[in-house]
Amino acid sequence: VRTATDGELIARLEREYMDMPEIVDTVNYVDRTFLITSRYLPGIADFRIYHTNETLVQDGQLLWRPEERMLAGRDERSWYNDAMKSSSPLQWSNARDNPKQIVITRKIISASGNVLGMVYILLNYDAVFGELLDHPFNGDGSLYIVDESRRILAASDKARIGSLMLSKEWPDAGEDGDEAGVYDLTQVKELLITKPLSSHWNVVALVHMKYMGSQNRTVLYLIVGITLFFLLLSIFLMMTIVKNIVRRIRKLGSRMSDLSRGEFEVNVRNHEKDEVGELENMFNSMSERLGKLVEGIT
């Protein structure tokens, strides 16, 4: 899109050239400006700028004119004419001779609305969709990316690439193609989920029900495990608190026995500021007071 909307490129493509220095200057501008762009995206196998300006040459690097050559598994001129007839300026498709490659085209349109040419990008399939669609749902399902014409652009099952998808959401998808090129999902018993994207594509997920059952069991086991963990943790904390309180009360009872035998110097060490701590402070104060009273009486 950045290349196709470059104002300087548009001006140079619609200009009529009269001498070779102007042509060389345009070729140098294109090579200098868009050579970095051609290497910017990961997985680019080929990057071209097509034009139909008869006064401008094709240099065989970035500037090209549609001729009788093979391009992505089809005739270059017929591909160019079909792309020009499309109502959408930006198109994605799969290379006919190699399903592991993706063709992206973007029309170059002047300010007056005239189509001056086409930006052509050939991408490696694995660089764009490889990790995204590799082994989805732990092998218990499939993922598909479907364009606005319901043709499969990418799939975890690469044999389906290029087919038209027929599903409950699109029951008439098979009308545009032959039966051999249609992938019928209307009668599947698996869970079928579709998610539309802003690009007018759809992500289609086909999940086996046994996978959903295993996921439900996993969630159930997880809930039970978490519940048991917190239950055991609560019991452990309660037992710890109770043991601490019982130990301190027994220690206080032992010191009271010492006090009853006339040992008024006894006291209870306490570092807690809770109810048992208040009792310990009161006991220490009482034993000190009793010791002073007995000493005074003596």
Side-chain angles (χ1 to χ4, degrees):
V1 172
R2 176 186 178 278
T3 303
T5 56
D6 183 82
E8 180 66 20
L9 176 65
I10 293 174
R12 288 178 180 272
L13 290 183
E14 63 181 351
R15 180 190 305 173
E16 184 176 353
Y17 295 89
M18 304 300 295
D19 52 23
M20 185 57 65
E22 291 183 351
I23 296 176
V24 173
D25 181 62
T26 294
V27 171
N28 289 334
Y29 169 78
V30 172
D31 290 343
R32 182 177 63 253
T33 306
F34 301 108
L35 193 60
I36 298 177
T37 304
S38 67
R39 299 171 181 172
Y40 178 71
L41 294 174
I44 285 185
D46 196 6
F47 182 90
R48 300 182 182 185
I49 298 174
Y50 278 90
H51 68 90
T52 55
N53 190 334
E54 296 295 335
T55 63
L56 181 61
V57 299
Q58 54 177 336
D59 64 349
Q61 295 189 47
L62 295 183
L63 280 176
W64 294 76
R65 281 205 300 258
E67 295 182 353
E68 302 298 330
R69 293 181 292 244
M70 294 302 294
L71 183 69
R74 59 180 305 184
D75 179 68
E76 188 179 58
R77 194 180 297 276
S78 64
W79 158 80
Y80 185 86
N81 293 333
D82 291 343
M84 285 297 179
K85 294 177 183 178
S86 173
S87 59
S88 175
L90 179 66
Q91 281 190 316
W92 287 65
S93 61
N94 297 96
R96 293 187 178 182
D97 59 342
N98 189 353
K100 292 186 177 181
Q101 289 183 323
I102 302 170
V103 176
I104 311 173
T105 60
R106 176 60 159 83
K107 293 180 182 178
I108 303 175
I109 305 174
S110 66
S112 59
N114 297 324
V115 180
L116 304 176
M118 186 84 62
V119 177
Y120 168 90
I121 298 178
L122 185 66
L123 286 177
N124 290 325
Y125 175 89
D126 291 335
V128 181
F129 296 113
E131 295 183 0
L132 177 66
L133 302 178
D134 185 27
H135 202 66
F137 310 111
N138 296 323
D140 289 323
S142 304
L143 272 177
Y144 303 91
I145 296 180
V146 185
D147 64 10
E148 62 271 15
S149 63
R150 303 168 189 173
R151 189 170 298 278
I152 299 175
L153 292 177
S156 51
D157 182 9
K158 295 183 180 180
R160 302 295 183 184
I161 295 176
S163 302
L164 287 174
M165 179 171 284
L166 178 64
S167 69
K168 297 176 182 178
E169 286 76 11
W170 312 302
D172 58 341
E175 295 180 359
D176 299 329
D178 52 48
E179 294 182 359
V182 176
Y183 182 34
D184 192 350
L185 294 177
T186 55
Q187 304 298 327
V188 297
K189 296 182 179 179
E190 288 81 4
L191 178 64
L192 184 66
I193 306 171
T194 62
K195 173 66 177 179
L197 304 176
S198 59
S199 58
H200 304 293
W201 294 356
N202 285 273
V203 177
V204 180
L206 187 64
V207 186
H208 300 331
M209 296 307 296
K210 64 177 183 180
Y211 175 80
M212 299 300 296
S214 64
Q215 290 295 302
N216 291 336
R217 288 193 297 272
T218 301
V219 172
L220 179 61
Y221 294 154
L222 185 61
I223 293 174
V224 172
I226 292 175
T227 303
L228 290 176
F229 171 76
F230 281 106
L231 180 61
L232 294 175
L233 181 62
S234 300
I235 293 174
F236 172 76
L237 292 176
M238 290 176 60
M239 295 298 295
T240 302
I241 294 172
V242 169
K243 285 184 178 180
N244 183 51
I245 294 175
V246 170
R247 178 182 59 81
R248 291 168 63 189
I249 291 176
R250 287 179 178 176
K251 184 177 180 181
L252 182 60
S254 176
R255 293 295 181 267
M256 293 179 68
S257 299
D258 296 336
L259 183 64
S260 65
R261 293 194 296 269
E263 298 178 10
F264 301 109
E265 294 81 7
V266 298
N267 58 14
V268 180
R269 296 180 184 178
N270 68 314
H271 304 284
E272 304 293 337
K273 295 183 180 180
D274 53 8
E275 288 77 5
V276 179
E278 292 181 3
L279 288 175
E280 292 171 342
N281 288 329
M282 293 174 63
F283 174 80
N284 292 336
S285 176
M286 180 187 68
S287 62
E288 182 181 359
R289 181 62 177 167
L290 283 175
K292 291 181 179 179
L293 289 175
V294 171
E295 183 180 357
I297 292 174
T298 303

